[in-house]
Amino acid sequence: MDFGFSQEDETFRAEARDWLAAHAGPSTDRRTWERTLGKAGWIGLGWPEAGYGNRTATLTQQVVWAEEYARSPAPPRSGHIGENLLAPTLVSYGTDEQKSRFLPPIAAGEQLWCQGYSEPGAGSDLAGVRTAAVREGDRYRISGQKIWTSLAREADWCFVLARTDPESSRHHGLSFLLVPMDQPGRIEVRPIRQMTGTSDFNEVFFDGAYARVEHVVGGEGHGWAVAMGLLGFERGVATLAQQIGFAEELAAVVRAAVESGAVHDPVVRARLVRQWAELRTMHRHALRTLGGAAGPGAPSVAKLLWGGWHQRLGELAVQVRGARAAVGPADWSPTTPYELDPGQHLFLFSRADTIYGGSDQVQRTIIAERVLGLPREPKGAV
């Protein structure tokens, strides 16, 4: 699918660009920024329904907004999990009461969410969930642990995949619960320190935390269908904005190769050209996916493409600078945090790209079983 921009789309682009130029700044507090976006109606453009404080936009206009946002100096989003994952899931599987309760604060930028899926010992295998939720009257009492939870320290709520039938195994007996994070003594969040020195991911421990019965999406025991539906929303228009960021990183690596003279090495030149060609391929694949022309394995193919691509770019970012890539931008001592320049951060952080969001092994299994029709991988009972 190739997007043709009409005059109406270009008017929308001008509005988006002008608004971002007037309001966006890289140093803006991220929670304040979400409220700013919400007040102007820029949250929820891709929701299939309006009326929750959001405005809707055509698919082409969503692409325009994603592109302009990626090019602007706006800070990274904190509300994208609620906006792009939970909200479409509630529209598809939630009750009217759940939509009325949770969608307006997401659209206003007032409520931040995190995703309670992965667990120690299960990783990307969602059917291996062990976190348990036992019903006690009008509430569920939750016990267990989640890991690699993005934004858990900032989030107000978490959507949690938990086992509500203790006799069940694998994808049976799971429920999709909406859990408030402000439960001192019942929920503990521990940051996970990464190679970059930052802590973008967290461990979350549930020790008797509560979720109300009316906050079960899709009904008790139907969590697997809801969780799979949510994963279908995970990779959409945002992938095009991601690729704009990738293009900027690639341009920085090319500049570094020219400055260091590494561009004269034919092997380095070939790798740079390949990175450029593969990025174009990812862009075309993303357009096909948005246009509805791709098959059921398209999200897994996209994840495999960009995860490996980004890792190889990180390796190139170090290779083209030679020995200088090992020297940090500031003096370091055991008592002060070390600093990384953008190329070093790219190299270290991209090591996680083939793990989070569903590891490469899991994506290949999905393609093998659901697209190629190969025999299912044998799994033991939980």
Side-chain angles (χ1 to χ4, degrees):
M1 177 181 180
D2 194 9
F3 286 93
F5 296 110
S6 66
Q7 182 58 49
E8 182 181 357
D9 298 329
E10 292 302 334
T11 300
F12 182 88
R13 182 187 298 279
E15 179 188 359
R17 183 187 298 125
D18 291 347
W19 187 88
L20 286 165
H23 294 85
S27 61
T28 306
D29 172 77
R30 289 170 66 171
R31 186 175 282 269
T32 301
W33 176 242
E34 291 298 321
R35 296 191 184 104
T36 303
L37 287 170
K39 189 176 295 184
W42 293 112
I43 297 177
L45 297 178
W47 297 357
E49 297 179 8
Y52 299 104
N54 65 306
R55 56 175 166 174
T56 58
T58 66
L59 181 60
T60 305
Q61 290 170 344
Q62 293 170 50
V63 171
V64 166
W65 168 254
E67 290 177 343
E68 294 304 322
Y69 192 94
R71 294 187 179 109
S72 76
R77 292 290 308 280
S78 294
H80 64 281
I81 294 177
E83 177 187 6
N84 299 323
L85 299 186
L86 178 65
T89 303
L90 287 178
V91 171
S92 297
Y93 298 94
T95 63
D96 290 340
E97 290 76 11
Q98 289 170 342
K99 289 187 281 187
S100 297
R101 165 67 178 81
F102 293 106
L103 293 182
I106 294 174
E110 297 287 347
Q111 200 173 79
L112 302 183
W113 286 79
C114 60
Q115 179 178 19
Y117 272 20
S118 296
E119 297 186 4
S124 298
D125 179 17
L126 291 184
V129 163
R130 298 174 183 267
T131 294
V134 178
R135 183 163 180 172
E136 297 180 351
D138 63 347
R139 299 184 295 183
Y140 288 94
R141 184 167 181 154
I142 306 169
S143 301
Q145 179 187 355
K146 299 295 181 177
I147 198 167
W148 309 119
T149 309
S150 302
L151 302 176
R153 286 178 292 169
E154 295 83 14
D156 304 297
W157 287 75
C158 181
F159 49 90
V160 176
L161 192 63
R163 195 165 296 281
T164 48
D165 181 357
E167 303 300 321
S168 66
S169 64
R170 301 302 299 165
H171 59 275
H172 302 287
L174 299 173
S175 297
F176 191 98
L177 310 176
L178 308 181
V179 182
M181 292 292 286
D182 186 16
Q183 300 190 49
R186 300 182 186 276
I187 297 179
E188 180 185 359
V189 179
R190 299 180 189 173
I192 299 174
R193 186 173 174 84
Q194 299 156 237
M195 289 189 294
T196 55
T198 57
S199 298
D200 300 276
F201 308 113
N202 305 270
E203 294 178 282
V204 181
F205 297 85
F206 297 95
D207 185 10
Y210 284 110
R212 301 192 66 82
V213 169
E214 63 263 30
H215 294 166
V216 180
V217 181
E220 183 178 302
H222 296 95
W224 181 257
V226 178
M228 292 300 99
L230 181 144
L231 291 178
F233 301 121
E234 191 166 12
R235 302 177 185 108
V237 171
T239 60
L240 294 174
Q242 178 192 54
Q243 290 165 16
I244 292 173
F246 285 171
E248 293 175 350
E249 290 178 335
L250 175 58
V253 172
V254 171
R255 288 194 298 270
V258 172
E259 292 170 1
S260 68
V263 73
H264 301 298
D265 182 333
V267 175
V268 171
R269 275 205 311 276
R271 290 190 64 184
L272 290 170
V273 170
R274 180 170 182 173
Q275 289 291 129
W276 177 86
E278 289 178 347
L279 183 57
R280 298 292 295 174
T281 300
M282 288 193 291
H283 182 72
R284 291 297 178 183
H285 177 74
L287 293 178
R288 289 181 66 248
T289 301
L290 293 177
S300 294
V301 171
K303 179 60 170 60
L304 285 171
L305 286 174
W306 74 254
W309 184 92
H310 205 218
Q311 276 192 357
R312 292 190 295 276
L313 183 66
E315 293 164 359
L316 259 177
V318 172
Q319 180 183 358
V320 300
R321 293 169 60 196
R324 289 191 303 141
V327 180
D331 292 337
W332 176 85
S333 75
T335 60
T336 58
Y338 59 83
E339 295 183 26
L340 301 172
D341 62 37
Q344 293 166 334
H345 187 276
L346 170 61
F347 171 68
L348 292 177
F349 187 85
S350 63
R351 307 315 300 169
D353 286 342
T354 52
I355 302 174
Y356 70 80
S359 69
D360 277 13
Q361 292 83 353
V362 168
Q363 303 308 328
R364 291 190 176 98
T365 298
I366 291 173
I367 294 170
E369 295 177 354
R370 301 183 189 177
V371 180
L372 301 180
L374 298 178
R376 290 189 174 273
E377 180 183 14
K379 297 180 174 70
V382 175

